[in-house]
Amino acid sequence: MKCQFCNREKVDRVFYVNWMGTVYQVPVCSDCLNKMWRKASEAGQTEEFKKYTGWWPGKQEPRHLGDRAFPEEAVSGLKKRRKLAALRVRLSEAAALEDYEEAARIRDDIEKMEKEVCGHEN
């Protein structure tokens, strides 16, 4: 994934934003995250920034791509459905960017995961 702000390749941080009932992934590189913090600090908006992102300097690192969104004791099917939803979002993004090679790879991953989640072939 690319950073939402600077388009740097392969960022390792992601925020999940719930906007009107839809959860969006916002990938952010550490440089952009620190720039946003500095701007929020200069504007006196640190509390709003903390509330929006759940992160601030000195707090534990934000979730990384591939981290579990649910605790260890979560049902495995729930974890797989969550990953499946994230893959579908990535598929839409790849198709919108006309990155057909990536879209095909993601499509294949979705098909494989759907078989695992459903437990049978369609």
Side-chain angles (χ1 to χ4, degrees):
M1 278 189 186
K2 293 182 180 183
C3 176
Q4 181 80 24
F5 304 98
C6 70
N7 290 322
R8 180 182 295 163
E9 292 284 341
K10 298 184 181 180
V11 299
D12 62 346
R13 299 169 190 229
V14 65
F15 291 106
Y16 293 91
V17 179
N18 186 338
W19 180 256
M20 299 177 69
T22 303
V23 177
Y24 296 95
Q25 283 185 328
V26 181
V28 182
C29 69
S30 58
D31 291 340
C32 288
L33 188 60
N34 286 317
K35 286 178 191 176
M36 290 187 312
W37 173 257
R38 281 193 302 273
K39 287 181 181 180
S41 296
E42 291 168 3
Q45 301 291 317
T46 55
E47 291 305 313
E48 289 80 2
F49 185 87
K50 288 178 184 180
K51 183 177 177 183
Y52 179 73
T53 65
W55 178 87
W56 55 91
K59 185 179 186 239
Q60 76 176 38
E61 292 296 315
R63 285 187 269 180
H64 295 272
L65 291 173
D67 281 357
R68 291 181 233 34
F70 295 97
E72 286 294 327
E73 63 272 7
V75 180
S76 64
L78 184 59
K79 291 178 188 179
K80 288 179 181 178
R81 287 192 298 270
R82 179 73 175 223
K83 286 182 182 179
L84 193 55
L87 282 172
R88 288 184 177 128
V89 169
R90 288 180 48 209
L91 177 62
S92 296
E93 291 171 353
L97 294 172
E98 297 182 2
D99 186 353
Y100 301 119
E101 202 170 283
E102 177 72 3
R105 187 188 62 73
I106 294 169
R107 180 203 61 216
D108 295 342
D109 290 346
I110 288 172
E111 287 177 7
K112 180 181 174 187
M113 190 168 289
E114 281 177 339
K115 288 178 185 176
E116 292 174 8
V117 170
C118 295
H120 59 80
E121 294 187 29
N122 292 347

